[in-house]
Amino acid sequence: MNATDRKRIAALFPGRFDRNYVASKLQTDPLYAALAREIQDSPLPLLDLGCGLGLVAFYLRLSGVTVAITGIDYDRRKIATAERAAATFGNEGLSFAFHDLQSGIPAHEGNLCVLDILQYFTPAEQQTLLESAASRVAPGGKLIIRSGLRDRSVRFKITVLGDLLAKATFWMKGAPKHYPTAEDFQRLLSPHGEVRITSLWGGTPFNNHLIVLKKSAAPENR
Protein backbone atom coordinates (compact mmCIF):
# COMPACT_ATOMS: atom_id res chain seq x y z
CA MET A 1 0.00 0.00 0.00
CA ASN A 2 1.34 3.43 -0.93
CA ALA A 3 1.67 6.41 1.40
CA THR A 4 -1.40 8.12 -0.06
CA ASP A 5 -3.66 5.19 0.77
CA ARG A 6 -2.17 4.87 4.25
CA LYS A 7 -2.90 8.55 4.88
CA ARG A 8 -6.44 8.12 3.56
CA ILE A 9 -7.14 5.35 6.06
CA ALA A 10 -5.51 7.19 8.98
CA ALA A 11 -7.57 10.30 8.18
CA LEU A 12 -10.77 8.30 8.80
CA PHE A 13 -10.05 8.44 12.54
CA PRO A 14 -10.67 11.75 14.33
CA GLY A 15 -8.53 11.25 17.44
CA ARG A 16 -4.80 11.99 17.25
CA PHE A 17 -3.88 8.81 19.12
CA ASP A 18 -5.95 6.60 16.80
CA ARG A 19 -4.64 8.37 13.68
CA ASN A 20 -1.02 7.93 14.76
CA TYR A 21 -1.62 4.32 15.76
CA VAL A 22 -3.26 3.52 12.42
CA ALA A 23 -0.55 5.24 10.39
CA SER A 24 2.19 3.39 12.29
CA LYS A 25 0.47 -0.01 12.01
CA LEU A 26 -0.11 0.30 8.28
CA GLN A 27 3.47 1.35 7.64
CA THR A 28 5.29 -1.17 9.84
CA ASP A 29 3.09 -4.23 10.30
CA PRO A 30 3.45 -6.93 7.60
CA LEU A 31 0.10 -8.48 8.56
CA TYR A 32 -2.16 -6.51 6.23
CA ALA A 33 -0.26 -7.22 3.03
CA ALA A 34 0.02 -10.90 3.98
CA LEU A 35 -3.73 -11.13 4.60
CA ALA A 36 -4.48 -9.43 1.28
CA ARG A 37 -2.31 -11.95 -0.55
CA GLU A 38 -4.17 -14.83 1.09
CA ILE A 39 -7.69 -13.76 0.06
CA GLN A 40 -7.29 -11.39 -2.89
CA ASP A 41 -8.58 -13.94 -5.39
CA SER A 42 -11.36 -15.38 -3.19
CA PRO A 43 -15.03 -14.57 -3.88
CA LEU A 44 -16.00 -15.55 -0.32
CA PRO A 45 -17.11 -13.04 2.36
CA LEU A 46 -14.72 -12.39 5.24
CA LEU A 47 -15.50 -12.40 8.97
CA ASP A 48 -12.85 -10.62 11.05
CA LEU A 49 -12.92 -11.88 14.64
CA GLY A 50 -11.59 -9.25 17.01
CA CYS A 51 -11.48 -6.52 14.36
CA GLY A 52 -10.51 -3.63 16.63
CA LEU A 53 -10.68 -0.35 14.69
CA GLY A 54 -11.45 -2.18 11.44
CA LEU A 55 -8.06 -1.66 9.76
CA VAL A 56 -8.25 -5.01 7.98
CA ALA A 57 -11.45 -4.01 6.20
CA PHE A 58 -10.18 -0.60 5.07
CA TYR A 59 -6.81 -1.98 3.96
CA LEU A 60 -8.42 -4.77 1.95
CA ARG A 61 -10.82 -2.37 0.24
CA LEU A 62 -8.00 -0.12 -0.92
CA SER A 63 -6.08 -3.22 -2.01
CA GLY A 64 -8.87 -4.19 -4.41
CA VAL A 65 -10.71 -6.81 -2.30
CA THR A 66 -14.42 -6.24 -2.96
CA VAL A 67 -16.15 -9.03 -1.00
CA ALA A 68 -18.40 -8.31 1.98
CA ILE A 69 -16.35 -7.85 5.16
CA THR A 70 -17.81 -8.03 8.67
CA GLY A 71 -15.77 -7.14 11.72
CA ILE A 72 -16.74 -7.99 15.29
CA ASP A 73 -15.11 -7.02 18.57
CA TYR A 74 -16.03 -6.79 22.27
CA ASP A 75 -14.53 -3.32 22.69
CA ARG A 76 -17.50 -1.01 22.15
CA ARG A 77 -15.33 2.08 21.69
CA LYS A 78 -13.34 0.49 18.89
CA ILE A 79 -16.50 -0.75 17.16
CA ALA A 80 -18.10 2.71 17.37
CA THR A 81 -14.91 4.21 15.94
CA ALA A 82 -14.83 1.66 13.12
CA GLU A 83 -18.47 2.37 12.27
CA ARG A 84 -17.83 6.12 12.06
CA ALA A 85 -14.77 5.52 9.89
CA ALA A 86 -16.78 3.26 7.57
CA ALA A 87 -19.46 5.94 7.18
CA THR A 88 -16.77 8.42 6.16
CA PHE A 89 -15.08 5.88 3.91
CA GLY A 90 -18.34 5.49 2.01
CA ASN A 91 -17.81 1.94 0.82
CA GLU A 92 -20.67 -0.53 0.86
CA GLY A 93 -20.18 -4.07 2.07
CA LEU A 94 -18.31 -3.16 5.26
CA SER A 95 -20.02 -3.72 8.60
CA PHE A 96 -18.94 -3.76 12.23
CA ALA A 97 -20.72 -5.02 15.33
CA PHE A 98 -20.16 -5.55 19.03
CA HIS A 99 -19.80 -9.23 19.86
CA ASP A 100 -18.13 -11.15 22.68
CA LEU A 101 -16.46 -14.28 21.32
CA GLN A 102 -16.91 -15.93 24.71
CA SER A 103 -20.52 -16.44 23.58
CA GLY A 104 -19.49 -18.10 20.33
CA ILE A 105 -19.00 -17.09 16.69
CA PRO A 106 -21.91 -15.73 14.64
CA ALA A 107 -23.27 -17.75 11.72
CA HIS A 108 -20.96 -17.42 8.72
CA GLU A 109 -19.71 -19.36 5.71
CA GLY A 110 -16.68 -18.03 3.91
CA ASN A 111 -13.20 -16.89 4.97
CA LEU A 112 -12.38 -15.92 8.55
CA CYS A 113 -9.47 -14.20 10.23
CA VAL A 114 -8.40 -14.27 13.89
CA LEU A 115 -5.63 -11.76 14.39
CA ASP A 116 -3.65 -11.15 17.59
CA ILE A 117 -6.35 -12.16 20.06
CA LEU A 118 -5.88 -15.85 20.87
CA GLN A 119 -3.52 -15.14 23.77
CA TYR A 120 -6.43 -13.58 25.66
CA PHE A 121 -8.21 -16.95 25.89
CA THR A 122 -7.48 -20.01 28.02
CA PRO A 123 -6.33 -23.22 26.26
CA ALA A 124 -9.85 -24.68 26.45
CA GLU A 125 -11.36 -21.46 25.10
CA GLN A 126 -8.80 -21.38 22.29
CA GLN A 127 -9.73 -24.91 21.27
CA THR A 128 -13.43 -24.06 21.22
CA LEU A 129 -12.84 -20.87 19.26
CA LEU A 130 -10.54 -22.44 16.67
CA GLU A 131 -12.75 -25.47 16.08
CA SER A 132 -15.81 -23.24 15.77
CA ALA A 133 -14.02 -20.91 13.35
CA ALA A 134 -12.77 -23.84 11.27
CA SER A 135 -16.32 -25.18 10.97
CA ARG A 136 -17.42 -21.87 9.43
CA VAL A 137 -14.84 -21.90 6.65
CA ALA A 138 -16.51 -22.57 3.30
CA PRO A 139 -15.11 -25.21 0.92
CA GLY A 140 -12.11 -23.67 -0.78
CA GLY A 141 -11.96 -20.97 1.91
CA LYS A 142 -9.40 -20.11 4.54
CA LEU A 143 -9.09 -19.45 8.26
CA ILE A 144 -6.21 -16.99 8.63
CA ILE A 145 -4.65 -16.50 12.05
CA ARG A 146 -1.86 -14.25 13.30
CA SER A 147 -0.53 -15.28 16.67
CA GLY A 148 2.60 -15.14 18.75
CA LEU A 149 3.87 -18.68 19.27
CA ARG A 150 5.03 -19.94 22.63
CA ASP A 151 8.65 -21.10 22.51
CA ARG A 152 11.98 -20.31 24.17
CA SER A 153 13.00 -17.46 21.89
CA VAL A 154 13.78 -13.89 22.88
CA ARG A 155 11.09 -12.85 20.41
CA PHE A 156 8.49 -14.68 22.47
CA LYS A 157 9.56 -12.87 25.64
CA ILE A 158 9.25 -9.53 23.83
CA THR A 159 5.81 -10.55 22.56
CA VAL A 160 4.61 -11.18 26.12
CA LEU A 161 6.02 -7.84 27.29
CA GLY A 162 4.24 -6.08 24.42
CA ASP A 163 0.90 -7.60 25.36
CA LEU A 164 1.37 -6.70 29.01
CA LEU A 165 2.13 -3.13 27.98
CA ALA A 166 -1.04 -3.03 25.87
CA LYS A 167 -3.03 -4.01 28.97
CA ALA A 168 -1.20 -1.52 31.20
CA THR A 169 -1.98 1.35 28.80
CA PHE A 170 -5.63 0.22 28.51
CA TRP A 171 -5.33 -0.35 24.75
CA MET A 172 -6.44 -3.92 25.40
CA LYS A 173 -9.02 -4.73 28.05
CA GLY A 174 -7.55 -8.05 29.11
CA ALA A 175 -4.15 -9.51 29.99
CA PRO A 176 -2.70 -12.48 28.06
CA LYS A 177 -3.68 -15.88 29.44
CA HIS A 178 -2.03 -18.46 27.19
CA TYR A 179 0.12 -18.51 24.05
CA PRO A 180 -0.40 -21.52 21.75
CA THR A 181 2.45 -23.44 20.15
CA ALA A 182 2.83 -24.42 16.51
CA GLU A 183 1.98 -27.97 17.55
CA ASP A 184 -1.30 -26.76 19.08
CA PHE A 185 -2.39 -25.27 15.76
CA GLN A 186 -1.46 -28.40 13.83
CA ARG A 187 -3.33 -30.61 16.28
CA LEU A 188 -6.50 -28.51 16.36
CA LEU A 189 -6.74 -27.45 12.73
CA SER A 190 -5.30 -30.28 10.62
CA PRO A 191 -8.52 -32.37 10.91
CA HIS A 192 -10.25 -29.56 8.99
CA GLY A 193 -7.82 -29.19 6.09
CA GLU A 194 -4.31 -28.19 5.09
CA VAL A 195 -2.41 -26.14 7.69
CA ARG A 196 0.49 -23.84 6.85
CA ILE A 197 2.57 -21.94 9.45
CA THR A 198 5.10 -19.27 8.47
CA SER A 199 6.93 -16.54 10.36
CA LEU A 200 5.50 -13.04 10.01
CA TRP A 201 7.99 -10.85 11.80
CA GLY A 202 8.64 -8.18 9.21
CA GLY A 203 10.62 -5.45 10.92
CA THR A 204 9.02 -6.09 14.31
CA PRO A 205 10.68 -7.81 17.31
CA PHE A 206 7.66 -10.02 18.00
CA ASN A 207 7.34 -13.79 17.60
CA ASN A 208 4.38 -13.45 15.23
CA HIS A 209 3.43 -16.21 12.82
CA LEU A 210 0.79 -16.58 10.14
CA ILE A 211 -1.27 -19.75 10.47
CA VAL A 212 -3.49 -20.59 7.50
CA LEU A 213 -6.06 -23.37 7.36
CA LYS A 214 -7.29 -24.04 3.83
CA LYS A 215 -10.30 -26.25 3.26
CA SER A 216 -10.53 -28.37 0.14
CA ALA A 217 -12.93 -27.16 -2.50
CA ALA A 218 -16.27 -29.00 -2.76
CA PRO A 219 -16.19 -31.70 -5.44
CA GLU A 220 -18.03 -30.83 -8.64
CA ASN A 221 -21.29 -32.63 -9.35
CA ARG A 222 -21.09 -34.89 -12.38
Side-chain angles (χ1 to χ4, degrees):
M1 176 172 285
N2 59 44
T4 299
D5 286 340
R6 291 198 300 268
K7 289 180 180 178
R8 180 182 174 188
I9 295 175
L12 296 172
F13 300 90
R16 178 180 297 180
F17 180 87
D18 284 346
R19 281 200 308 272
N20 291 339
Y21 170 80
V22 169
S24 175
K25 285 285 286 183
L26 293 177
Q27 184 171 4
T28 63
D29 196 332
L31 170 65
Y32 304 102
L35 181 61
R37 287 192 295 269
E38 291 292 340
I39 68 167
Q40 62 186 356
D41 296 323
S42 175
L44 298 170
L46 174 68
L47 178 61
D48 182 4
L49 306 179
C51 66
L53 297 174
L55 299 192
V56 163
F58 301 124
Y59 184 99
L60 292 177
R61 273 295 183 268
L62 290 184
S63 299
V65 176
T66 61
V67 300
I69 302 174
T70 301
I72 59 175
D73 200 285
Y74 89 130
D75 188 321
R76 293 185 185 275
R77 184 198 75 83
K78 291 179 181 177
I79 286 296
T81 302
E83 289 178 324
R84 287 193 296 268
T88 303
F89 191 67
N91 197 305
E92 295 182 0
L94 303 182
S95 61
F96 302 96
F98 169 82
H99 183 86
D100 188 346
L101 288 172
Q102 295 282 6
S103 64
I105 299 175
H108 177 77
E109 184 176 25
N111 295 314
L112 296 90
C113 60
V114 183
L115 309 173
D116 303 326
I117 64 169
L118 283 177
Q119 67 270 31
Y120 299 106
F121 295 85
T122 67
E125 291 168 343
Q126 289 177 10
Q127 179 171 343
T128 298
L129 177 61
L130 290 174
E131 290 179 345
S132 179
S135 71
R136 285 160 171 74
V137 178
K142 294 178 178 179
L143 169 60
I144 304 162
I145 302 163
R146 207 260 291 266
S147 178
L149 294 186
R150 178 163 51 90
D151 56 28
R152 297 183 178 181
S153 67
V154 173
R155 282 185 173 275
F156 173 65
K157 295 177 182 178
I158 295 173
T159 300
V160 176
L161 288 175
D163 286 333
L164 292 174
L165 179 62
K167 173 62 172 64
T169 58
F170 302 103
W171 180 249
M172 298 300 294
K173 288 188 173 184
K177 296 179 179 179
H178 177 76
Y179 291 84
T181 64
E183 291 75 17
D184 290 332
F185 285 111
Q186 289 286 356
R187 172 176 54 85
L188 294 172
L189 297 179
S190 58
H192 299 274
E194 176 187 351
V195 179
R196 170 168 42 93
I197 301 177
T198 55
S199 62
L200 193 64
W201 302 334
T204 75
F206 305 115
N207 199 34
N208 288 329
H209 287 71
L210 193 71
I211 301 97
V212 179
L213 163 68
K214 183 176 181 180
K215 279 195 175 179
S216 300
E220 296 182 1
N221 293 326
R222 296 185 178 180

Short mmCIF file of all heavy atoms in Angstrom, two decimals, residues 65 79 166 217-218:
data_model
loop_
_atom_site.label_atom_id
_atom_site.label_comp_id
_atom_site.label_asym_id
_atom_site.label_seq_id
_atom_site.Cartn_x
_atom_site.Cartn_y
_atom_site.Cartn_z
N VAL A 65 -9.84 -5.71 -2.75
CA VAL A 65 -10.71 -6.81 -2.30
C VAL A 65 -12.12 -6.25 -2.16
O VAL A 65 -12.35 -5.32 -1.38
CB VAL A 65 -10.22 -7.40 -0.97
CG1 VAL A 65 -11.19 -8.47 -0.47
CG2 VAL A 65 -8.82 -7.99 -1.15
N ILE A 79 -15.45 -0.48 18.14
CA ILE A 79 -16.50 -0.75 17.16
C ILE A 79 -17.17 0.55 16.74
O ILE A 79 -17.41 0.80 15.55
CB ILE A 79 -17.53 -1.74 17.72
CG1 ILE A 79 -16.94 -3.15 17.74
CG2 ILE A 79 -18.82 -1.74 16.89
CD1 ILE A 79 -16.61 -3.72 16.35
N ALA A 166 0.25 -3.40 26.44
CA ALA A 166 -1.04 -3.03 25.87
C ALA A 166 -2.13 -3.03 26.93
O ALA A 166 -3.04 -2.19 26.93
CB ALA A 166 -1.41 -3.98 24.73
N ALA A 217 -11.75 -27.60 -1.78
CA ALA A 217 -12.93 -27.16 -2.50
C ALA A 217 -13.92 -28.31 -2.59
O ALA A 217 -13.55 -29.49 -2.61
CB ALA A 217 -12.55 -26.68 -3.90
N ALA A 218 -15.23 -27.97 -2.63
CA ALA A 218 -16.27 -29.00 -2.76
C ALA A 218 -16.12 -29.68 -4.11
O ALA A 218 -15.88 -29.02 -5.12
CB ALA A 218 -17.63 -28.37 -2.62
#
